[in-house]
Each structure stands twice: as structure tokens, then as C-alpha cells.
Amino acid sequence: MDSLGNTLANLLTIAWLLPLFGFVVQILFAHKWGRKSKAAAYLAIFCIGTGFVCSATAFYKWDKQAGHLVFKEAKPAATEVAEPKNDSKAEVTEEAHPKKHSGRQTVFSGTFYQLAQFGDLQLSLDYYIDSLTLAMFVMVTLIATCIHIFATGYMSEELVEDYVDHQVHSHDGGHFHRPGRFYRFFSYLSLFCFAMLGLVIAGNIFQVFVFWELVGICSYLLIGFYVERHSASTAANKAFIVNRVGDFGFIIGLMILWTSFGTFNFADQHVSDGGVKPGLFSMVTRDHHGEFPKSADGKEVVLTTQQDGHGAWQVPPETSPRKTIAYTLLIVAGLGVFGGCVGKSAQFPLQTWLPDAMEGPTPVSALVHSATMVAAGVYLAGRFYPMFVPEVLLVIAYVGCITAFVAATIAIVATDIKKVLAYSTISQLGYMMLGLGVGGWGAGLFHLITHAFFKSLMFLCSGSVIAGCHHEQEMPKMGGLLRKMPITALTMLVGVIAIAGLAIPGIYLKFWSFVPYLSVYEDHGYVLSFSGYHSKDAILATALAYTKLNPLHFLLFLIPLLTAGITSFYMFRLWFYTFLGKPRDQHLHEHVHESPWVMTAPLLVLSFFAAFCALGGEHHGSLFGVLHHSEPVHVHHGFEAANSVSLPSHQAIEDSHASAGQAALLAAFVGMALSYLIYGKGVVNPDEIQRQASGVHAFLANKWGFDDLYDVMFVKPAHVVAKFAAAIDKFVFDEILHTFVRMGIAVSKWDRKFDEGVIDGIVNLMGNSTHSLGISLRNVQTGKIRQYVTFIAVSVVTLFVLLFALYPKG
Amino acid sequence: MQPIDPNPFLIVGAVLFVCGVVCMTTKRNGIGVLMGVELVLNGANLNFITFSRCTPLGLDGQVFSLFVIVLAAAEAAVALAIALNFYNNHLTIDVDRGDELHG
């Protein structure tokens, strides 16, 4: 069993580090391969593709051990999937490294490398592998591989020595020229993959934070890829700065955790003296009713830091020293960490950066800003779930609910194809948060995985459309593209149906039983539906069960239900607007072409997964089953509370499933029908509606005024403060400096005069006199030999005369 | 050896010296200048010998004059070579034509 843990850790480490290797090679050597070389892209695809193979292998091995949830056993045998296999499970968990809460979870954890130790504070690179980690690894590497391949086609216009950016104008009115940056794009993508996988595999919350920032900087680099465009560089700054706000909360959460718990590790750690040090998740345990062990006055939560004979974590007896944390602090810590998730996952009120982030190239939007990085916030909320108390979950639920609704309404009026998808992403992320918040741990993360597939698919489709339309992104100029680009249109339709959550009840699929290697679908027929139907259903069912328990929070069900209808409406609007109807821009329409295979093939792969990855839904579905393996134990029973919020148990969710599912399906169909009437059939002219409700339209088109509000609240005051600071700088500090400088100049001037007048004067005088002497003596040198002789003779005579005259006689 | 009166010798030497100097300063012919030099040297020689004879210095004066004669011969050889080269360059031995080194 340990060997399985080691195998998984090794495989995932390879998958994690390969993109880093690719990044280093590309950033150091790719410029030598030339700007027209695709070698950097091939290297990046090789690294992430191998990463996918490693992840998939690890997943297969895990699956074999966990009871063949996805893949068939070697000998075909009927396997029960719905129930956990207790016999094999016991063997699994007995040797599994940390046994937590109960026998349900299987976690492999350990330390790669210890970075530093400050007193008791250990900073290390750990790994924490459970089924959620594995599912995320497979999802991220698979989507990233598809997007890398797509990007080789999409970014191929960068393969030139001289790239002309038509959206940047130079001073003389021409377009901006720069060298192509193909390899740089792929090196950033590789760095991003490394950071994202590191975030997923991280075994302590500090390591998560490190990679959290690393994906942030990759996002910054990729949004600002066309850095010469003012909008792109502004959007990159905005994304980074808005994320700082959330990260501030994250840091506060980290400080509280460190102060109260004394560790950052998720899982228990074996220490060198043979003992076991409890991890974060072990220290916060709940009893069967979901209550924490509390101190006598009920305000402090006692941490379970002592192991009993069976390895379960217990509250230490009264006599021994106990670790406690105030309940309010636990709330603050949870809210702080969730604050980080709010920033990264673009939740209300920090959602404004994500639509602007669409300035990056479309593959980036697909990979970073829809499927993986923004989902990291949801992932962290899921990973950190055992630490969240019901009050924090309530906040999470409301934040998610508001986000889902606000973003969905804005998406109705957006006309930029990528902006619609961006708002839809925010809305769906809100759904996931809502799912987590109402106690649907599995539902939220289920939606995370399914959403990653269909949203990356739709972004790539939009990329294909944009490339086909020569970088036109405005939907009002498109229309009627179905015939021109059929593959893109149909794969997009798959994504749209998936996100809208459409299904045809009563029609059951049997054909899965013919597919070899896949075990689970043998005995059950399935509703004809795509992935989003199942995951959205799961969230709504949980929300319904939650509102039944807490009637006060009935909006947590009604608003998501309404949002489901809106989602269906605007997604079909996008599809009808783009692909059906008459071409609205004839000139553009004539030049549209279907994208090459290198771009459509990833679409086909992703559309397959978008359609079928959630097959079987919550009851028999393999994906949900896999995720369910990592579910924190306390979620199963729910939580009944007299004076705070209650959480539904699985049984309660199961009971609400049918009614919630029907309501959601109805909402989705209504949305689709409305959309078809308005945009497909043209029964009502959308411009007419827009005119009728111009106030609402303006409000929505202005994104509920969030940008303006933040502009007034934060940006403008910041500018005022900055101007004030600049004035102080200019008029005070600069003046002081200038005075010093002026004094220096005066001294120098005097010094110069002395130098020039006195020192130079003496030297020049000597030089000049010597020179003039030479000039005058020069005339003596006549070259006339007889003259010289005369001089000599006269001189000799003169000397003699002088000698006789002056020499003393005697 | 009976003492002699040095004055006639000194007068002849002085005349020779003055003739030589006048010859050097007035002659434009290079060979003539050389001849003037010889005269000057020999005037000086006569002085050496005269004082050597009239004073108790032994043979010092005679030895000196022998040196002077040898040196004069050597000087004449060098000077004649110069004169030849001068003629090769200027097609004359007029010393006034050789003033290229004037300042």
C-alpha cells in the first residue's frame, strides 16, 4: 500500500515537474531556435502530454486499488459502485498513511523537501494525494494538452520575425511592429502548468499560497501578453492588484492558523522520534452530530491533538496541556482563506478582473481564466473544507449565490463573444462556491471538473471563431457561421447544452455497455444528458435540501434556480447569435473559414469529455464516485444546529434530488425556448426589447456599476493620495536635494576658476615662455655654414678677450 | 738646447690662425673651407710646439700636435667624403647652397 503511495507520488511529481523543465529549456534556449521555429511548442506539448500520461497512469493505479470505479477489472465482473466496498476498503485504509476521521478517505501524504525551519515553524514542500488531487491532475493535464495543441495553431501568426499588431498604433499612424513571441507564449504556458499542478499537489497551506502566487504571476504575464496594447497591460495590472486584495485575507488566515495550530500541514506528519504530529484536518474534528469539542465556557474549540489506541485523534484529557482556538478566530481564519479564493475565483465583490482578463490570447482564457486557475479558488475551498465552520459556509454560499446571479445577468447583454463566456465563467464559479457553501462538497467539486471541460471547450470554440473571423470578437457582426465552420459550431453546441444543463428524461443510453475497459455503466441506463446537467443538478439539490433545513435562507435555492434559466438563455443566445441567422457583416462572412485540424481536433476531444465525463450523475457516476472518496467525513451526516445554520445530510439531499432536478430542467428549457424565440426565430426583435428596457440594459451593460464604484471608491482616492505623495516628493524632497546640488555646483564653479586661473596659469606660462624662446632661437639656425664658423671664431675671440680682461692677473 | 725667443713663432701661428679663420668664413667652396680648417689647426700646432719648447713641459706639446695632425687627417677624410656626397646631391660644393636645415 505504501508502495502505491510512492508510485502515485512519483508519477504525479514527474507530471508536476516536467512543465518546469520545459519552461526552463524554453526560456533559456528557445531564442536560439529562431522565431519561426515551432520547437518550443512541441517541447511544451511533450512535457504536458507526458504529464497527462503519468497522471492518467496514477489515476488508473489508484482506481484499481479503490475498487474499480472507472476502469474495468481484468476479469469482467459485476461491481457494485454505489456502495463503498467495505472489505477492500478496510485493507486500503489500514495501511494508508494517515487515517482520518473514519475509514472513508484514503490519503497519501509526505514531504518532498524541507525548505526551512524557524523555531517550530516548518516550511516544506509536501504532497497530499487523494482522489480529488488525482482527478484535478488528470483534468488539468488533459485540458492543458488539448489547449497546447490548439495554441500551436492559434498562435501560429506569431511565428514571424516581424509581427504587425493591428490594434496598436504608433505615433505616425502606422501599426506597431515587433518580433513574434511564439516561444515566449509557450514558455509562459509551461510555467503556468507547473504552478497549477504544484498548487494541486501541495501538502500544506503555505505551499498552496506559494503556488497560488505563482499562478497569479503567470496569469499576469499571459493577460499582458500583448503588452503594447494599453487595454491588455491595464487588464493585467487589474487582475494582479485585485488578487492582492484577496491574498491579503489569505495571509491573515495563514497567520491565524499558524498561531493557533502551529502547523500548516493538511495531513499528519511522522516526526523523527517515531511519533505522529497531527495535521490541520486532524486537529479539527466533529462528533456524530457535527459539533466541535468545546471548552467549558463554550467559546473555545478544543483541538484534538492526541491519538488513541486506534489512531483516531482525541481531545487530550483535562489534566494535560490542551490547544484551543476561539470559535470566532476559526471563523475569521476560514473567512480569510476564503478571501483568497474570492480573489482567485473572481467572486463577488472581486469579480471585476476576470472579464478584463479576456485581453489575453484565447487559449489563455480557456486554460487559465476558465478551466484551471480560476477554479483553484474553488479547489482550495474544497480542500480546506474541514476547517470551515457553518457560519463561514453560509458566507461562501451567499457570495457564490450573488456572484452567480450578477454575472449571469451581465452575460445577457454582453456582445463580445469572449466576454459572454467570461461572465458565464464567473457565474459558474459562483455556482461551485454555492454548492460548497450549502454543504454539497461533492457537488461543488463535481461542477468544478465538468465546468472545466465544457468551458475550456467553449473558449477554444470561441478562439476558433475569432481566428476564423480574423480577430472579430463582436457577435453582432457574426451570424450564420454554422455552414462556414461546422465543426466549431457543433462542438460549441455540445458545450452550450452541457452548461445549460439540458437533458431529455426518459431516454436511456445503453450503448456504454459496449465500451470495453469502462466498468461502471453496465447495469444502468442513463438519462440522455451532458455533463453540466448532472453537476448543476447536484448543486441545486443540495441547495434545496439546505433551504428546507434553513427556511430563512430560501434565496439560496431560488436565485440559483433562476440563474440556471438565465444561463441557458444567454448561452443559447450566444450560439444562435453566432452560428444561426443571416450573416450580419457580409464582408466578414465571406472571409470566414473553418480552422485547421490542429485546432478542431482538441475541440472534438474536449467535446467528448464535456458531454460524457459526468455520465451517471451522482448516483452511479464514476466521476462523482471518485470525488466522493475524498469527501470530508463530517459532510455525510450533515449538521443539525439549534441556533446556527444546519447542513443537509446526504440522505436529505437525495430526497430533494428529484424535485430540484425537475425545477432546474424546467428553468433550462424555458431559458432555451426564450432564447430561441428571440434570437433563433426572431419572434421579438431584441433591439426592441433593449429600447423598451433601456434603463435595465444600461445598468447591466455597465456591469452593475462595479467598475465605476471601485473607480470612485478605490482608484480615484488612490490617485489623489498618489498625487499628494508626488507633490510632497516634488516640492519638499526634491527641493532639499536641489539645494544640496546647487551648493555642490557653486563649490565646483569656484574650484574651476581656481583651477583655470592659477594652476593652469602657471603651467601655461612655463609652456608659453619655453615656446617663445624656441621661436626666437629658431632664427639663429640659418643653415649657413660660413655664418656658423664666423660665430665660432667671433665667440672664441670674445672669450679670449673676456678671459684676458677679467682673469685676475698674477 | 739653448733657449729661443718664442715671439716669432707665436706671430706666425697667429697669422696662420687668422688666415685659416678668414679662409673658412669667406670661402664658398667647400674644399676651401677645409683648407682653412687645416690652417687653423696648424696655427694651433705651432703654438703647442712653441710653448712646449719654451717651458719645462717636456714633449707634451709635440705629442699633442702629432694627435692634432692625425685627427686633422681623419677629419679631412670624413670631410672630403661629405663634400663628395654634397656634390652628388647638389651638383656643386658651394656651402651656401646647403642650408636646408635652417630653422
Side-chain angles (χ1 to χ4, degrees):
Chain A
M1 196 60 205
D2 259 339
S3 72
L4 175 63
N6 283 336
T7 316
L8 294 186
N10 288 340
L11 282 168
L12 295 192
T13 309
I14 293 169
W16 170 38
L17 293 182
L18 264 177
L20 178 66
F21 164 76
F23 166 71
V24 171
V25 171
Q26 287 162 36
I27 208 77
L28 291 182
F29 304 113
H31 62 276
K32 291 184 186 157
W33 305 335
R35 302 223 177 250
K36 291 179 181 169
S37 159
K38 280 193 173 183
Y42 296 142
L43 178 65
I45 292 172
F46 165 76
C47 289
I48 195 70
T50 314
F52 169 63
V53 173
C54 291
S55 314
T57 314
F59 188 72
Y60 178 73
K61 282 184 184 297
W62 177 87
D63 183 60
K64 209 160 122 193
Q65 201 78 33
H68 297 277
L69 291 166
V70 179
F71 301 102
K72 268 184 188 166
E73 270 178 282
K75 288 180 202 165
T79 49
E80 296 171 59
V81 181
E83 283 179 11
K85 306 189 85 185
N86 287 327
D87 47 351
S88 68
K89 189 64 52 190
E91 157 200 326
V92 166
T93 44
E94 205 154 70
E95 287 182 49
H97 171 33
K99 195 162 106 180
K100 308 221 329 260
H101 309 309
S102 85
R104 178 91 191 162
Q105 284 176 306
T106 314
V107 173
F108 307 99
S109 67
T111 304
F112 288 124
Y113 179 69
Q114 184 168 339
L115 292 171
Q117 177 144 16
F118 308 99
D120 291 338
L121 174 62
Q122 273 191 3
L123 299 182
S124 52
L125 291 177
D126 299 326
Y127 59 89
Y128 183 94
I129 299 170
D130 60 2
S131 64
L132 175 61
T133 314
L134 285 162
M136 288 291 287
F137 253 79
V138 174
M139 182 274 278
V140 170
T141 50
L142 172 60
I143 290 181
T145 309
C146 289
I147 289 173
H148 274 69
I149 294 170
F150 180 89
T152 47
Y154 188 84
M155 300 304 287
S156 57
E157 57 194 35
E158 291 275 351
L159 283 169
V160 285
E161 295 288 347
D162 183 40
Y163 177 84
V164 185
D165 196 332
H166 293 283
Q167 300 192 27
V168 183
H169 302 275
S170 49
H171 295 298
D172 53 9
H175 293 302
F176 180 76
H177 289 250
R178 62 169 171 79
R181 292 197 283 238
F182 189 77
Y183 76 86
R184 200 193 289 184
F185 180 79
F186 279 92
S187 62
Y188 290 164
L189 276 193
S190 293
L191 180 63
F192 170 76
C193 292
F194 161 71
M196 185 68 206
L197 294 177
L199 197 162
V200 174
I201 204 175
N204 63 58
I205 188 78
F206 186 80
Q207 193 184 349
V208 169
F209 186 68
V210 170
F211 286 101
W212 189 262
E213 296 304 318
L214 203 50
V215 291
I217 191 69
C218 294
S219 158
Y220 172 82
L221 292 171
L222 287 165
I223 296 171
F225 185 72
Y226 300 116
V227 64
E228 294 85 5
R229 298 180 192 167
H230 183 247
S231 54
S233 59
T234 319
N237 282 337
K238 187 172 176 181
F240 206 68
I241 292 168
V242 171
N243 265 298
R244 292 277 74 67
V245 179
D247 291 344
F248 190 64
F250 201 150
I251 291 176
I252 293 175
L254 285 187
M255 288 192 284
I256 294 176
L257 289 173
W258 159 241
T259 316
S260 308
F261 291 83
T263 180
F264 284 137
N265 275 60
F266 294 142
D268 306 340
Q269 269 184 312
H270 288 284
V271 280
S272 47
D273 61 359
V276 179
K277 211 176 139 194
L280 287 176
F281 297 162
S282 302
M283 287 199 238
V284 180
T285 44
R286 297 152 168 93
D287 62 11
H288 293 301
H289 307 290
E291 292 281 1
F292 297 104
K294 295 223 170 135
S295 63
D297 59 358
K299 284 183 181 168
E300 307 245 314
V301 175
V302 184
L303 303 181
T304 47
T305 49
Q306 203 172 52
Q307 251 177 332
D308 68 3
H310 305 291
W313 291 96
Q314 301 287 345
V315 172
E318 292 269 1
T319 46
S320 52
R322 286 173 152 190
K323 263 190 186 176
T324 59
I325 177 173
Y327 192 70
T328 44
L329 264 188
L330 205 52
I331 296 178
V332 175
L335 287 179
V337 172
F338 176 63
C341 304
V342 167
K344 193 62 81 195
S345 285
Q347 298 293 293
F348 171 84
L350 301 179
Q351 82 281 38
T352 55
W353 68 268
L354 189 55
D356 290 20
M358 296 301 124
E359 286 294 336
T362 309
V364 172
S365 310
L367 179 62
V368 182
H369 302 118
S370 71
T372 54
M373 187 195 82
V374 290
V378 181
Y379 167 79
L380 180 64
R383 171 62 80 216
F384 216 57
Y385 207 74
M387 309 295 290
F388 290 143
V389 297
E391 286 81 359
V392 175
L393 290 180
L394 183 68
V395 174
I396 295 179
Y398 268 107
V399 166
C401 178
I402 296 170
T403 311
F405 181 70
V406 169
T409 52
I410 300 173
I412 297 175
V413 298
T415 53
D416 183 323
I417 186 167
K418 279 179 78 179
K419 286 272 163 74
V420 175
L421 290 174
Y423 283 112
S424 142
T425 304
I426 300 176
S427 174
Q428 298 302 310
L429 290 168
Y431 253 103
M432 298 169 206
M433 287 294 187
L434 172 81
L436 291 174
V438 293
W441 187 90
L445 293 169
F446 190 30
H447 198 52
L448 162 59
I449 305 273
T450 59
H451 170 261
F453 281 114
F454 58 67
K455 189 51 69 66
S456 59
L457 166 67
M458 285 193 287
F459 260 113
L460 290 192
C461 288
S462 79
S464 174
V465 169
I466 291 166
C469 292
H470 304 279
H471 293 276
E472 181 55 61
Q473 302 192 7
E474 285 294 317
M475 289 192 296
K477 294 195 177 167
M478 298 171 185
L481 297 182
L482 178 59
R483 294 202 172 179
K484 289 274 187 173
M485 20 185 28
I487 301 176
T488 306
L490 292 178
T491 47
M492 183 80 156
L493 185 61
V494 171
V496 168
I497 293 175
I499 191 175
L502 290 183
I504 303 176
I507 297 184
Y508 291 94
L509 290 176
K510 269 290 190 185
F511 70 90
W512 281 104
S513 49
F514 300 114
V515 179
Y517 310 121
L518 294 172
S519 66
V520 285
Y521 307 113
E522 282 169 355
D523 300 327
H524 313 282
Y526 292 105
V527 178
L528 179 61
S529 59
F530 290 169
S531 60
Y533 166 78
H534 297 290
S535 51
K536 198 169 282 187
D537 235 23
I539 291 177
L540 283 173
T542 318
L544 182 58
Y546 186 84
T547 49
K548 276 181 189 164
L549 281 176
N550 310 289
L552 189 62
H553 304 298
F554 66 98
L555 282 177
L556 288 182
F557 174 67
L558 289 184
I559 290 183
L561 186 63
L562 180 62
T563 308
I566 300 176
T567 306
S568 171
F569 175 78
Y570 68 70
M571 286 318 299
F572 275 102
R573 165 179 177 264
L574 181 146
W575 198 79
F576 291 137
Y577 223 25
T578 312
F579 295 108
L580 289 187
K582 284 181 195 149
R584 282 177 288 273
D585 187 333
Q586 205 59 43
H587 174 73
L588 184 71
H589 192 258
E590 277 163 16
H591 291 88
V592 171
H593 54 84
E594 178 62 290
S595 303
W597 272 107
V598 70
M599 288 162 80
T600 48
L603 297 184
L604 294 172
V605 173
L606 283 176
S607 65
F608 173 79
F609 281 95
F612 300 119
C613 73
L615 208 69
E618 279 174 273
H619 303 291
H620 320 290
S622 54
L623 177 59
F624 192 81
V626 168
L627 289 175
H628 197 234
H629 251 260
S630 303
E631 186 172 71
V633 178
H634 68 275
V635 175
H636 189 79
H637 299 294
F639 174 58
E640 296 277 347
N643 49 4
S644 79
V645 281
S646 306
L647 295 174
S649 69
H650 279 188
Q651 191 54 47
I653 297 170
E654 191 57 46
D655 294 342
S656 336
H657 210 285
S659 45
Q662 282 161 12
L665 198 55
L666 185 69
F669 268 112
V670 169
M672 186 195 80
L674 267 178
S675 178
Y676 180 70
L677 289 177
I678 297 175
Y679 295 99
K681 201 97 167 114
V683 174
V684 193
N685 187 356
D687 296 335
E688 194 63 36
I689 303 174
Q690 186 179 324
R691 215 169 301 124
Q692 296 274 325
S694 58
V696 178
H697 181 268
F699 178 65
L700 293 181
N702 196 23
K703 309 162 200 165
W704 285 49
F706 277 111
D707 275 341
D708 295 342
L709 181 71
Y710 292 165
D711 203 38
V712 173
M713 275 171 66
F714 304 114
V715 180
K716 292 255 166 67
H719 279 179
V720 170
V721 172
K723 270 183 189 151
F724 178 69
I728 288 187
D729 228 31
K730 196 171 175 186
F731 295 113
V732 179
F733 293 110
D734 279 9
E735 272 314 302
I736 295 173
L737 283 178
H738 284 165
T739 315
F740 277 117
V741 170
R742 278 191 210 105
M743 281 161 61
I745 290 174
V747 171
S748 312
K749 273 184 180 156
W750 184 84
D751 194 39
R752 178 181 174 175
K753 269 184 190 144
F754 177 79
D755 235 31
E756 285 179 346
V758 180
I759 311 277
D760 283 9
I762 294 170
V763 174
N764 286 344
L765 186 69
M766 288 170 67
N768 287 340
S769 51
T770 313
H771 184 71
S772 52
L773 185 67
I775 292 288
S776 54
L777 279 180
R778 180 182 155 186
N779 297 328
V780 180
Q781 187 89 5
T782 57
K784 292 200 165 53
I785 193 159
R786 291 190 295 132
Q787 199 179 7
Y788 295 167
V789 173
T790 314
F791 279 146
I792 293 170
V794 171
S795 309
V796 168
V797 171
T798 315
L799 274 175
F800 271 103
V801 169
L802 285 174
L803 194 64
F804 280 112
L806 301 177
Y807 196 73
K809 300 283 190 299
Chain B
M1 245 195 305
Q2 62 209 19
I4 54 166
D5 178 18
N7 285 334
F9 298 98
L10 293 179
I11 290 165
V12 172
V15 170
L16 273 178
F17 180 81
V18 171
C19 285
V21 168
V22 170
C23 182
M24 279 197 293
T25 54
T26 54
K27 282 285 180 188
R28 291 172 63 193
N29 188 322
I31 304 293
V33 174
L34 284 180
M35 289 162 73
V37 172
E38 293 300 321
L39 284 178
V40 168
L41 289 174
N42 282 311
N45 270 351
L46 207 51
N47 268 23
F48 274 127
I49 293 167
T50 307
F51 284 113
S52 175
R53 184 72 172 77
C54 299
T55 53
L57 286 172
L59 287 174
D60 287 6
Q62 284 86 341
V63 171
F64 261 107
S65 57
L66 274 175
F67 266 113
V68 171
I69 290 165
V70 171
L71 279 175
E75 176 249 306
V78 172
L80 282 171
I82 292 173
L84 272 175
N85 271 320
F86 189 87
Y87 181 79
N88 275 344
N89 288 337
H90 294 86
L91 290 180
T92 174
I93 48 172
D94 182 354
V95 291
D96 284 358
R97 299 281 296 278
D99 61 351
E100 283 93 351
L101 285 177
H102 70 86

Short mmCIF file of all heavy atoms in Angstrom, two decimals, chain A residues 777-798:
data_model
loop_
_atom_site.label_atom_id
_atom_site.label_comp_id
_atom_site.label_asym_id
_atom_site.label_seq_id
_atom_site.Cartn_x
_atom_site.Cartn_y
_atom_site.Cartn_z
N LEU A 777 64.90 81.51 -30.84
CA LEU A 777 66.19 80.85 -31.10
C LEU A 777 66.23 80.22 -32.48
O LEU A 777 67.28 79.99 -33.04
CB LEU A 777 66.45 79.79 -30.04
CG LEU A 777 67.01 80.32 -28.71
CD1 LEU A 777 67.23 79.18 -27.75
CD2 LEU A 777 68.31 81.06 -28.97
N ARG A 778 65.08 79.95 -32.97
CA ARG A 778 64.97 79.26 -34.25
C ARG A 778 65.67 80.08 -35.34
O ARG A 778 66.29 79.53 -36.25
CB ARG A 778 63.49 79.13 -34.56
CG ARG A 778 63.16 78.46 -35.83
CD ARG A 778 61.66 78.48 -35.98
NE ARG A 778 61.35 78.41 -37.38
CZ ARG A 778 60.16 78.52 -37.89
NH1 ARG A 778 59.15 78.75 -37.08
NH2 ARG A 778 59.95 78.42 -39.18
N ASN A 779 65.59 81.41 -35.21
CA ASN A 779 66.15 82.26 -36.26
C ASN A 779 67.67 82.14 -36.33
O ASN A 779 68.26 82.42 -37.37
CB ASN A 779 65.78 83.72 -35.99
CG ASN A 779 64.28 83.87 -36.07
OD1 ASN A 779 63.63 83.17 -36.83
ND2 ASN A 779 63.72 84.76 -35.27
N VAL A 780 68.28 81.73 -35.23
CA VAL A 780 69.75 81.58 -35.22
C VAL A 780 70.16 80.46 -36.17
O VAL A 780 71.21 80.50 -36.81
CB VAL A 780 70.24 81.33 -33.80
CG1 VAL A 780 71.74 81.17 -33.76
CG2 VAL A 780 69.80 82.45 -32.90
N GLN A 781 69.36 79.50 -36.26
CA GLN A 781 69.67 78.29 -37.06
C GLN A 781 69.44 78.61 -38.53
O GLN A 781 68.41 78.28 -39.09
CB GLN A 781 68.76 77.15 -36.59
CG GLN A 781 69.07 75.80 -37.18
CD GLN A 781 70.08 75.05 -36.34
OE1 GLN A 781 70.48 75.48 -35.28
NE2 GLN A 781 70.52 73.91 -36.85
N THR A 782 70.42 79.25 -39.17
CA THR A 782 70.22 79.67 -40.55
C THR A 782 70.56 78.59 -41.54
O THR A 782 70.13 78.64 -42.69
CB THR A 782 71.07 80.89 -40.87
OG1 THR A 782 72.43 80.54 -40.60
CG2 THR A 782 70.68 82.07 -40.03
N GLY A 783 71.42 77.63 -41.15
CA GLY A 783 71.86 76.61 -42.10
C GLY A 783 73.04 77.07 -42.95
O GLY A 783 73.55 76.32 -43.77
N LYS A 784 73.51 78.28 -42.70
CA LYS A 784 74.66 78.79 -43.49
C LYS A 784 75.94 78.48 -42.75
O LYS A 784 76.22 79.00 -41.67
CB LYS A 784 74.51 80.29 -43.69
CG LYS A 784 73.33 80.61 -44.60
CD LYS A 784 73.50 81.99 -45.16
CE LYS A 784 72.58 82.24 -46.33
NZ LYS A 784 71.18 81.98 -46.07
N ILE A 785 76.76 77.62 -43.33
CA ILE A 785 77.93 77.09 -42.60
C ILE A 785 78.95 78.18 -42.33
O ILE A 785 79.57 78.22 -41.26
CB ILE A 785 78.52 75.91 -43.38
CG1 ILE A 785 79.52 75.17 -42.48
CG2 ILE A 785 79.18 76.35 -44.65
CD1 ILE A 785 79.78 73.77 -42.95
N ARG A 786 79.10 79.12 -43.25
CA ARG A 786 80.11 80.16 -43.07
C ARG A 786 79.73 81.08 -41.92
O ARG A 786 80.55 81.52 -41.15
CB ARG A 786 80.26 80.96 -44.36
CG ARG A 786 80.90 80.11 -45.45
CD ARG A 786 81.28 80.93 -46.67
NE ARG A 786 80.09 81.45 -47.29
CZ ARG A 786 79.96 82.74 -47.65
NH1 ARG A 786 80.93 83.59 -47.43
NH2 ARG A 786 78.84 83.16 -48.22
N GLN A 787 78.41 81.23 -41.79
CA GLN A 787 77.94 82.06 -40.68
C GLN A 787 78.30 81.40 -39.35
O GLN A 787 78.77 82.06 -38.42
CB GLN A 787 76.44 82.22 -40.81
CG GLN A 787 75.89 83.38 -40.04
CD GLN A 787 74.38 83.49 -40.23
OE1 GLN A 787 73.77 82.62 -40.84
NE2 GLN A 787 73.81 84.55 -39.74
N TYR A 788 78.06 80.06 -39.29
CA TYR A 788 78.37 79.34 -38.05
C TYR A 788 79.83 79.51 -37.71
O TYR A 788 80.19 79.76 -36.57
CB TYR A 788 78.07 77.84 -38.20
CG TYR A 788 76.61 77.50 -38.41
CD1 TYR A 788 76.24 76.24 -38.82
CD2 TYR A 788 75.62 78.45 -38.17
CE1 TYR A 788 74.93 75.89 -39.01
CE2 TYR A 788 74.31 78.11 -38.36
CZ TYR A 788 73.96 76.84 -38.80
OH TYR A 788 72.67 76.51 -38.98
N VAL A 789 80.67 79.35 -38.74
CA VAL A 789 82.11 79.46 -38.50
C VAL A 789 82.44 80.86 -37.96
O VAL A 789 83.20 81.01 -37.02
CB VAL A 789 82.90 79.17 -39.80
CG1 VAL A 789 84.38 79.46 -39.59
CG2 VAL A 789 82.70 77.73 -40.20
N THR A 790 81.81 81.85 -38.59
CA THR A 790 82.03 83.22 -38.13
C THR A 790 81.64 83.36 -36.67
O THR A 790 82.37 83.91 -35.85
CB THR A 790 81.18 84.19 -38.97
OG1 THR A 790 81.33 83.87 -40.31
CG2 THR A 790 81.62 85.63 -38.71
N PHE A 791 80.49 82.81 -36.33
CA PHE A 791 80.04 82.87 -34.94
C PHE A 791 81.08 82.25 -34.04
O PHE A 791 81.44 82.79 -33.01
CB PHE A 791 78.72 82.12 -34.76
CG PHE A 791 77.51 82.92 -35.15
CD1 PHE A 791 76.41 82.30 -35.73
CD2 PHE A 791 77.47 84.30 -34.92
CE1 PHE A 791 75.30 83.02 -36.09
CE2 PHE A 791 76.34 85.02 -35.29
CZ PHE A 791 75.26 84.39 -35.87
N ILE A 792 81.54 81.06 -34.43
CA ILE A 792 82.50 80.34 -33.58
C ILE A 792 83.75 81.22 -33.39
O ILE A 792 84.22 81.42 -32.27
CB ILE A 792 82.87 79.00 -34.21
CG1 ILE A 792 81.64 78.08 -34.20
CG2 ILE A 792 84.02 78.33 -33.46
CD1 ILE A 792 81.82 76.82 -35.02
N ALA A 793 84.26 81.70 -34.51
CA ALA A 793 85.51 82.47 -34.44
C ALA A 793 85.31 83.71 -33.56
O ALA A 793 86.11 83.94 -32.64
CB ALA A 793 85.92 82.88 -35.85
N VAL A 794 84.24 84.41 -33.84
CA VAL A 794 83.98 85.63 -33.05
C VAL A 794 83.84 85.28 -31.59
O VAL A 794 84.39 85.94 -30.70
CB VAL A 794 82.74 86.36 -33.58
CG1 VAL A 794 82.34 87.49 -32.63
CG2 VAL A 794 82.98 86.90 -34.96
N SER A 795 83.13 84.17 -31.33
CA SER A 795 82.91 83.77 -29.94
C SER A 795 84.22 83.45 -29.27
O SER A 795 84.46 83.85 -28.12
CB SER A 795 82.00 82.54 -29.87
OG SER A 795 80.86 82.74 -30.62
N VAL A 796 85.06 82.68 -29.96
CA VAL A 796 86.35 82.31 -29.38
C VAL A 796 87.14 83.56 -29.05
O VAL A 796 87.67 83.72 -27.94
CB VAL A 796 87.13 81.41 -30.37
CG1 VAL A 796 88.58 81.26 -29.92
CG2 VAL A 796 86.45 80.06 -30.44
N VAL A 797 87.18 84.49 -30.02
CA VAL A 797 87.93 85.73 -29.80
C VAL A 797 87.36 86.47 -28.61
O VAL A 797 88.08 86.91 -27.70
CB VAL A 797 87.88 86.61 -31.07
CG1 VAL A 797 88.47 88.00 -30.77
CG2 VAL A 797 88.65 85.95 -32.18
N THR A 798 86.02 86.52 -28.58
CA THR A 798 85.37 87.23 -27.48
C THR A 798 85.73 86.57 -26.16
O THR A 798 86.03 87.25 -25.17
CB THR A 798 83.84 87.21 -27.67
OG1 THR A 798 83.52 87.51 -29.00
CG2 THR A 798 83.15 88.18 -26.73
#
